[in-house]
Amino acid sequence: MKISELYKNKRKTLAFEIFPPKPETPLDTLFNSIDGFKKLSPDYISVTYGAGGSQRGRTVEIASKLKNHYGIESMCHLTCAGHSVEEIDELLAKMKEENISNILALRGDPPMDQPDFSFESGAFQYANELISHIKKNDDFCIAAAAYLEGHVDSKRLSEDRYYLKQKVDAGVDLLVTQLFFDIRLYFDFLDRCAQLNINCPVIPGIMPIFNARIKTMTARSGCSIPANLVLMIDKYQDNPEDLKKAGEEYAGHMIRELLDGGAPGIHLYTMNKLESTIEILKQAGLR
Ligand SMILES: Cc1cc2nc3c(=O)[nH]c(=O)nc-3n(C[C@H](O)[C@H](O)[C@H](O)COP(=O)(O)OP(=O)(O)OC[C@H]3O[C@@H](n4cnc5c(N)ncnc54)[C@H](O)[C@@H]3O)c2cc1C
């Protein structure tokens, strides 16, 4: 099923994002928790794609098992950085073969171990080109990424929004946001989208704070941390268990406020952590 259908009936959707375990780790370590995730009744689960195509087979394998074995609708992330058209088409064919209908189409980042990487080494330089290619040849539901504070590479917010509009017009059915910690950014962003005539659903991506490493993650991705959250992280920095609890509570409250404020659903970056996901949903009043 195309997940865009879910957003048409106005019910608040719940989506989880998971990632493939490291190559040396058996997939069963992930699958052991899928029954637990399923009990939380997600509308779908998205599976990330390793930068530069590492583990790309695993993304499709996991998404296929979610759909065809567990009966959970799934979405494959797909990045185009460094890939040839043939490599992309091979993956698209595999997804179709596995009955997968949903793709989160992305540009991707330069692989960490390739400092001289050039986006020109691949067939598509930006996500909008990948989206046009998929749209021209296939019938997938296509999601894309949105950055409430602008993508870290962008020199100007207006430029980033111009390219966002171009990307949506290439055939995007829904947008999923990068992590953020101030819900006002999300609602302001919806206003900007309306001004740009971007009318597809914009799903807030919620990243729980599990430990103080969130500071590095936000610095890399160009996201701000509100002052009250900085104080919270500092307060618990020597007490990881309390920081995790406070992070779960914060994420739960954000979800509640976003849904109450009219967000069409939630995309929760679970980091494959089942127990925390259960706690966050409790805090959000969804359990
Ligand atoms: C919800 C979500 C899920 C993600 N999942 C993954 C994943 O599974 N695997 C992974 O490796 N990464 C993932 N990422 C990270 C993503 O790959 C990076 O943020 C990447 O740097 C940008 O991808 P994009 O698709 O947003 O790029 P684009 O939309 O192509 O934008 C990239 C930059 O180029 C600019 N730009 C866009 N189009 C043009 C144009 N035509 N001309 C000039 N400039 C342009 C934009 O303004 C932006 O600054 C995810 C991000 C999000 C928000």
Side-chain angles (χ1 to χ4, degrees):
M1 183 199 51
K2 290 184 174 183
I3 58 178
S4 47
E5 293 302 316
L6 294 169
Y7 295 99
K8 288 189 182 149
N9 63 27
K10 304 282 184 221
R11 192 173 56 80
K12 308 277 183 189
T13 57
L14 176 64
F16 295 150
E17 178 178 305
I18 60 173
F19 59 84
K22 292 203 174 87
E24 60 277 15
T25 309
L27 281 185
D28 279 347
T29 51
L30 174 66
F31 291 132
N32 288 341
S33 59
I34 295 299
D35 279 327
F37 279 115
K38 187 175 177 177
K39 282 193 189 129
L40 303 174
S41 310
D43 291 288
Y44 59 97
I45 295 184
S46 79
V47 187
T48 66
Y49 188 81
S54 59
Q55 305 205 61
R56 70 178 106 140
R58 281 193 146 185
T59 301
V60 181
E61 189 181 345
I62 295 166
S64 167
K65 191 148 176 184
L66 288 172
K67 168 135 194 176
N68 301 311
H69 176 80
Y70 290 95
I72 305 170
E73 197 52 59
S74 64
M75 172 161 77
C76 280
H77 296 209
L78 173 62
T79 68
C80 58
H83 280 333
S84 63
V85 175
E86 292 71 29
E87 285 169 332
I88 295 287
D89 285 346
E90 199 183 307
L91 278 164
L92 295 174
K94 183 83 186 135
M95 288 179 205
K96 273 192 285 191
E97 211 178 289
E98 299 295 333
N99 205 17
I100 293 164
S101 315
N102 307 291
I103 299 177
L104 177 49
L106 302 145
R107 181 196 69 174
D109 289 313
M112 298 258 205
D113 58 348
Q114 292 180 38
D116 298 329
F117 178 84
S118 160
F119 285 105
E120 286 173 19
S121 63
F124 309 109
Q125 287 200 48
Y126 298 104
N128 70 299
E129 297 167 20
L130 171 66
I131 290 162
S132 297
H133 178 76
I134 300 173
K135 207 72 196 167
K136 198 168 64 194
N137 300 303
D138 290 302
D139 184 32
F140 288 99
C141 164
I142 302 178
Y147 303 83
L148 304 188
E149 298 173 83
H151 184 273
V152 69
D153 291 352
S154 288
K155 305 259 178 320
R156 288 195 167 77
L157 278 179
S158 56
E159 191 182 283
D160 198 42
R161 302 217 165 110
Y162 170 84
Y163 289 125
L164 177 69
K165 170 71 175 156
Q166 191 182 59
K167 180 159 78 171
V168 171
D169 288 349
V172 167
D173 295 295
L174 61 133
L175 290 168
V176 183
T177 79
Q178 192 184 36
L179 68 162
F180 64 101
F181 297 103
D182 181 343
I183 62 161
R184 291 174 301 182
L185 291 171
Y186 172 77
F187 292 112
D188 277 359
F189 184 78
L190 293 189
D191 293 341
R192 301 285 163 278
C193 285
Q195 284 162 6
L196 289 167
N197 213 10
I198 292 177
N199 300 312
C200 64
V202 180
I203 318 304
I206 303 299
M207 172 67 80
I209 294 170
F210 294 114
N211 51 51
R213 282 201 298 275
I214 193 75
K215 284 186 181 173
T216 321
M217 192 187 278
T218 49
R220 268 204 211 114
S221 52
C223 301
S224 58
I225 307 186
N228 61 336
L229 207 47
V230 174
L231 292 177
M232 184 189 97
I233 296 168
D234 289 347
K235 180 174 169 190
Y236 296 120
Q237 64 181 348
D238 298 324
N239 197 333
E241 198 45 42
D242 284 354
L243 177 57
K244 187 168 81 69
K245 270 200 198 116
E248 289 165 353
E249 201 174 308
Y250 193 92
H253 289 177
M254 270 185 86
I255 291 175
R256 187 69 272 151
E257 285 187 50
L258 286 161
L259 293 177
D260 288 350
I266 293 294
H267 177 100
L268 182 61
Y269 298 106
T270 69
M271 306 302 283
N272 298 359
K273 294 179 192 288
L274 175 60
E275 294 310 320
S276 285
T277 301
I278 294 172
E279 189 52 40
I280 291 162
L281 296 187
K282 268 191 204 151
Q283 294 287 343
L286 297 175
R287 293 281 295 149

